[in-house]
Amino acid sequence: MDELKLYTYIAVFGSFALYFAIAWWARAGSTSDFYVAGGGVTPLQNGMAIGADWMSAASFISMAGMISFLGYGGSVFLMGWTGGYVLLAMLLAPYMRKHGKFTVPEFIFDRYYSKTARVVAVVCLIIASLTYIIGQMKGVGVAFSRFLEVEYDNGLYIGMFVVWVYAVLGGMKGITYTQIAQYIVLIFAYTIPAVFISLQLTGNPIPQLGLGSTLADGSGVYLLDKLDLVVTELGFKEYTTDNMGGTVNMFAYTLSLMIGTAGLPHVIMRFFTVPSVKAARQSAGYALVFIALLYTVAPAVGAMARLNLMNTIEPVAGQNLDYAERPQWFKDWEKTGLLKYEEKNGDGKIQYTADKATNEMVKVDRDIMVLANPAIANLPNWVIALVAAGGLAAALSTAAGLLLAISSSISHDLMKGILTPDLSEKNELLAGRVVMTISVLVAGWLGLNPPGFAAGTVALAFGLAASSIFPALMMGIFAKKMSGKAAVAGMISGIGVTMLYVFQHKGIMFIPGTSFLGDMGPNWFFGISPNAFGSVGAVVNFAVAFAMLKVTGPAPAHIQQMVENFRTPHGGVSEAHDH
C-alpha cells in the first residue's frame, strides 16, 4: 500500500471511529434528547456544531470551486450564505428560541393557529431539505470514489451507513457532539493546505492576505493581476470583474441565497438546543467566528487553485504540457471521470482555452478544485489525506442535520401534531428513528440516481425556503397582527410564483422539452435568472399576505399577546418544550 493511501485510510476511518464513539456516548434517551439535545448544549459547543452544520459539501467542496471558475461572479455564494446566517442570527433565532418549541412548523402552527399553515411548512421543509441532501450525497460519493479508490456507488453506501449510525442512534444529542468533532476536522483540512499554498505562491502564510499580495517569484506582480492575465490570454473572462448576468441578477441572486439560507430549518433547529435566549445569541456570535474562519479563506483557495491549475497545464507562456508527462494527480482524477482530456490537433500537448473548438480539457469538474488543490501544489501526503477527511466531515455533518429536520417534521409535526395527537413519547421516539432510516434510504437512492434536475433543485431548495418559510417567520415575529389565513395565502403564492417561473424556464419538474420559455436570458423577468427568483417569490409572499390581512382582519388578541411576549427582551422560557 502506498503512503498516500495509508494516510487517507488512517484519516478517514480514524474520524469515522471517533464519530461512532461519540454517537454511542451521547445516544438519545428521550424526545427532548432526540430533537433538541435536551436543551443543555453550551453556546461555544453550539457555535461549533452550527459551523459544521452550515459548512456543507457545498461550502467545503463546491464554493471555492465555483469562485475559482466564476471569479468575482462567484462571490454571490459567499455573500449570500454568510449574509443569510447574519439575518438568521439577528432576526429569527433568538425570538424563536424564546418561544421554545422543537421545530419550525411547530412555531408556525402556534403563531398562525392553523393546521394548514403547519402542513404547508412541513411540505416546504421536506422538499427543501431532500433536494439539499442530494448535493451532500454527491459530495460523499465523489470524495470516497477518489480517495478510497472504490466505485462511486460503494462510497455512497459507506457514507449512508455512517450517517445512519450516529443520526439514528444519537438524534440531535449525538449529532451535536459529532458535529463539534467534524468542525475541528474540516477547519484544519481547509486552512492547512491554504496556508501552505499561500506561502508557496506569495510568501505570506495568511491566505486572506496572500490573495492581495505580490507573487513570491520577485516579479512584483500581484497574484490577482497574474491570474487575470493568464485567464484572459486563453480567452476566458477577466477573473476579478466577471459578474453573473448583470448587476440586477447579482443582487437578486445574493438576496435569494440570503433569505433562503435564513429560512433553512436544519440550522434554525440548532438554536433550540441551548438553555436560554441569551445562550442562543451567544452561540450565534461564536458560530459567525467559526464560519468566518472558512469563508474568508475560500476566495484565496479558489484563486490559488485556478492559478496552480493554469500553471500546471501551461508551465511557460505559450508552451503547453505534454499529455504523456501529465502529473499523477491528473491521472488520479481522470479515473473518476471528473477530469477529461480529448486530443484535437494531434500535437500530444494539452490545449486549455475558452474556445470549444480548440479546447482539449473537455471536462474540469468544479467540485474537484478543493480536493485536488493540495496534490496540484505538491503538498505532503498527510495534507492530501486530511482534505479527504475534511470533505467527508463537511458532507456528513450537513446530511445528518437535514435528516433530523425531515425526521422531526414528519414524526413530531405531522404524526404527533396532526394525525395521532395521543402518541406516547416512547412511540414518537421510535417513529422519529424509523422516519430517519427511511430518509437515509431515500437520500441514498437520490444520490445513486441523481435526478437530471439535481443541480437545478439545489437552487430551488433555497428559492423555496426564501419564498415560503422566511417571510412566514419574519411576519410571525415582526407583524403581530398578521393572521393565519393571510400567512397561508402568502406562503402558497410565494412558492407558486417561484415554482412556476423555474418550471417554465427549466421544464416541469426539470423534464427536458417541457419548458415554455426555455432557459434564455431574453425571456428572464427583469433579467433575473431562475436560480435567483426566490427573492421575487418572497416579495410576492409579503405583498399577498399584507393584502389578505386587509380582508381577513388581524390575528386574535391572545396571539398578538404571545408575539409581544417572545419579542420582549426580559424573562422567557428556560428550555424547549412540547405541547
Side-chain angles (χ1 to χ4, degrees), residues 41-43 46-47 50 85 88-90 92-98 268 270-287:
V41 180
T42 69
N46 200 39
I50 292 168
Y85 175 76
L88 171 62
M90 302 294 288
L92 300 180
Y95 302 106
M96 293 180 69
R97 174 64 194 87
K98 186 161 185 193
I268 296 174
R270 290 237 55 96
F271 290 97
F272 303 152
T273 65
V274 289
S276 67
V277 179
K278 184 182 178 186
R281 289 188 185 277
Q282 287 174 336
S283 59
Y286 281 125

Side-chain angles (χ1 to χ4, degrees), residues 391-443:
L392 289 166
L396 293 171
S397 62
T398 305
L402 290 164
L403 287 164
L404 187 69
I406 293 168
S407 161
S408 58
S409 69
I410 293 174
S411 62
H412 189 68
D413 290 301
L414 276 187
M415 293 174 68
K416 172 90 171 171
I418 295 172
L419 301 175
T420 51
D422 53 352
L423 194 68
S424 70
E425 179 172 349
K426 185 180 176 186
N427 286 341
E428 188 185 343
L429 188 59
L430 177 65
R433 289 185 159 134
V434 170
V435 169
M436 194 178 282
T437 303
I438 296 167
S439 303
V440 170
L441 295 172
V442 171

Side-chain angles (χ1 to χ4, degrees), residues 190-412:
Y190 204 80
T191 51
I192 287 174
V195 169
F196 270 109
I197 293 168
S198 182
L199 263 173
Q200 270 183 4
L201 289 174
T202 66
N204 193 322
I206 302 168
Q208 294 94 323
L209 300 178
L211 183 62
S213 300
T214 54
L215 292 167
D217 59 10
S219 62
V221 176
Y222 283 92
L223 183 142
L224 285 172
D225 289 340
K226 172 74 173 175
L227 188 52
D228 271 348
L229 186 69
V230 170
V231 295
T232 49
E233 274 179 358
L234 297 174
F236 295 99
K237 291 180 180 175
E238 195 172 65
Y239 190 83
T240 52
T241 57
D242 180 27
N243 73 14
M244 285 169 59
T247 307
V248 172
N249 189 54
M250 284 275 283
F251 177 79
Y253 212 133
T254 307
L255 183 63
S256 183
L257 288 174
M258 274 177 75
I259 61 179
T261 302
L264 285 177
H266 72 286
V267 180
I268 296 174
M269 283 177 72
R270 290 237 55 96
F271 290 97
F272 303 152
T273 65
V274 289
S276 67
V277 179
K278 184 182 178 186
R281 289 188 185 277
Q282 287 174 336
S283 59
Y286 281 125
L288 201 53
V289 173
F290 291 132
I291 291 167
L293 287 176
L294 188 144
Y295 270 51
T296 55
V297 172
V301 171
M304 290 170 187
R306 181 82 181 269
L307 186 61
N308 276 334
L309 178 69
M310 296 299 201
N311 286 342
T312 302
I313 291 169
E314 195 177 324
V316 181
Q319 290 182 23
N320 293 73
L321 181 73
D322 276 324
Y323 180 68
E325 293 173 13
R326 67 197 187 284
Q328 185 60 41
W329 67 263
F330 197 112
K331 296 173 187 172
D332 290 338
W333 282 103
E334 276 184 305
K335 288 177 199 166
T336 66
L338 299 173
L339 197 68
K340 282 183 186 167
Y341 164 81
E342 192 180 290
E343 181 61 70
K344 288 184 178 175
N345 60 2
D347 68 352
K349 293 181 181 291
I350 303 172
Q351 321 287 334
Y352 185 28
T353 67
D355 180 4
K356 280 189 178 176
T358 59
N359 178 39
E360 296 176 340
M361 292 294 296
V362 289
K363 184 169 186 184
V364 183
D365 193 303
R366 293 170 183 175
D367 286 353
I368 75 171
M369 294 307 287
V370 170
L371 298 176
N373 203 9
I376 297 174
N378 289 320
L379 297 187
N381 284 334
W382 66 267
V383 178
I384 299 171
L386 184 62
V387 170
L392 289 166
L396 293 171
S397 62
T398 305
L402 290 164
L403 287 164
L404 187 69
I406 293 168
S407 161
S408 58
S409 69
I410 293 174
S411 62
H412 189 68

